Amino acid sequence: MIEIQRRGLLLVMSSPSGAGKTTLSKRLLASDGNITMSVSVTTRNPRPGEVDGKDYHFISHEEFGRLRDRNDLLEYAEVFGNFYGTPKRPVTEALQAGRDVLFDIDWQGTQQMAQAMEDDLVRIFILPPSAEELRLRLINRAQDSASTVAKRMAKAADEISHWPEYDYVIVNDNIDTAARQLDSILTAERLKRRRRTGLTQFVRDLTKNL
Ligand code: 5GP
């Protein structure tokens, strides 16, 4: 297959907790070799099963303050009383190498990224099919206390109100369909002319021999 050189892209997925974003991210990362996950730093405690350095870098408030003050974060936000942020270096390194990066960040972080690097950004919002389904998914996840579930439900409307700030919206009713839609978005975005830095040379060589 002919490979034409291109810039990497930054794929942001946002949603209220429980819309299936984590499952979709995991499937994409397992099936696509050219995209890596941005591992955020957070001051919140790990949930059961979460691995430091893989799900998040779990750090203290002091360390978070240091990273922010040194300008080592691409964006950051406070969510549910905890701080979250995206380390800058791995992202710039991946982009330069023509690799794509996947972000699970909220609307506040997405707005900051849009200001800094809009051309490289692809924003996808994931919606649950109904309020009832969202509640069920949060309860079944069983990783959070009842009061946390209530807090996340209350926050969902707030998060969802930002859907018009995204380029694509996927309603996650069926996980296989949603995963296919996500693949389609990524395929089309990778083919965009302006990302394909190798096209000029390719067409030059092509027309030389016509
Ligand atoms: P959770 O605690 O459920 O893992 O994440 C809570 C929320 O924080 C989610 O909406 C998630 O997208 C958001 N989040 C996670 N990491 C970051 C980050 O680095 N920056 C921003 N702005 N939000 C994040």
Side-chain angles (χ1 to χ4, degrees):
M1 199 180 74
I2 291 174
E3 285 281 351
I4 292 174
Q5 203 178 0
R6 65 173 178 88
R7 283 176 65 73
L9 58 81
L10 308 175
L11 189 71
V12 169
M13 285 212 281
S14 298
S15 74
S17 308
K21 184 178 46 179
T22 309
T23 312
L24 280 172
S25 306
K26 285 193 176 140
R27 282 176 69 142
L28 178 63
L29 292 164
S31 68
D32 190 311
N34 202 46
I35 192 160
T36 50
M37 186 87 200
S38 163
V39 181
S40 296
V41 294
T42 183
T43 60
R44 85 151 159 74
N45 293 321
R47 296 196 190 110
E50 282 185 331
V51 179
D52 188 31
K54 187 162 171 280
D55 297 287
Y56 282 104
H57 300 287
F58 296 98
I59 62 172
S60 65
H61 276 86
E62 292 71 31
E63 177 67 4
F64 189 93
R66 269 197 294 277
L67 290 175
R68 187 191 49 205
D69 295 346
R70 280 204 311 246
N71 206 18
D72 284 345
L73 300 178
L74 208 53
E75 60 75 36
Y76 64 90
E78 188 179 352
V79 187
F80 305 123
N82 292 303
F83 288 95
Y84 296 82
T86 302
K88 196 181 274 177
R89 219 185 41 205
V91 176
T92 35
E93 284 175 359
L95 272 185
Q96 277 163 11
R99 273 182 290 118
D100 304 322
V101 189
L102 177 63
F103 298 85
D104 173 348
I105 61 176
D106 78 336
W107 61 269
Q108 305 174 76
T110 309
Q111 284 185 354
Q112 292 171 48
M113 298 255 304
Q115 275 169 17
M117 36 203 1
E118 181 150 36
D119 284 353
D120 297 319
L121 201 61
V122 178
R123 292 163 289 197
I124 307 180
F125 201 87
I126 315 291
L127 286 173
S130 67
E132 196 40 45
E133 181 63 26
L134 183 67
R135 189 175 289 110
L136 278 178
R137 288 180 190 173
L138 283 176
I139 292 167
N140 288 341
R141 196 155 76 169
Q143 283 180 336
D144 298 314
S145 66
S147 78
T148 304
V149 169
K151 257 198 329 210
R152 285 176 189 268
M153 278 301 285
K155 195 87 200 306
D158 193 34
E159 182 78 25
I160 287 173
S161 72
H162 290 277
W163 71 268
E165 296 159 26
Y166 288 73
D167 305 305
Y168 300 91
V169 177
I170 294 177
V171 179
N172 181 16
D173 189 7
N174 174 287
I175 191 73
D176 293 325
T177 309
R180 267 201 307 277
Q181 291 174 346
L182 180 59
D183 284 343
S184 307
I185 293 168
L186 194 54
T187 302
E189 286 288 344
R190 283 172 171 165
L191 289 172
K192 276 210 165 144
R193 176 170 49 79
R194 66 179 159 82
R195 295 193 208 292
R196 307 180 79 191
T197 46
L199 266 182
T200 307
Q201 189 59 47
F202 178 76
V203 175
R204 197 173 288 147
D205 294 343
L206 180 72
T207 49
K208 213 165 47 196
N209 299 316
L210 290 181

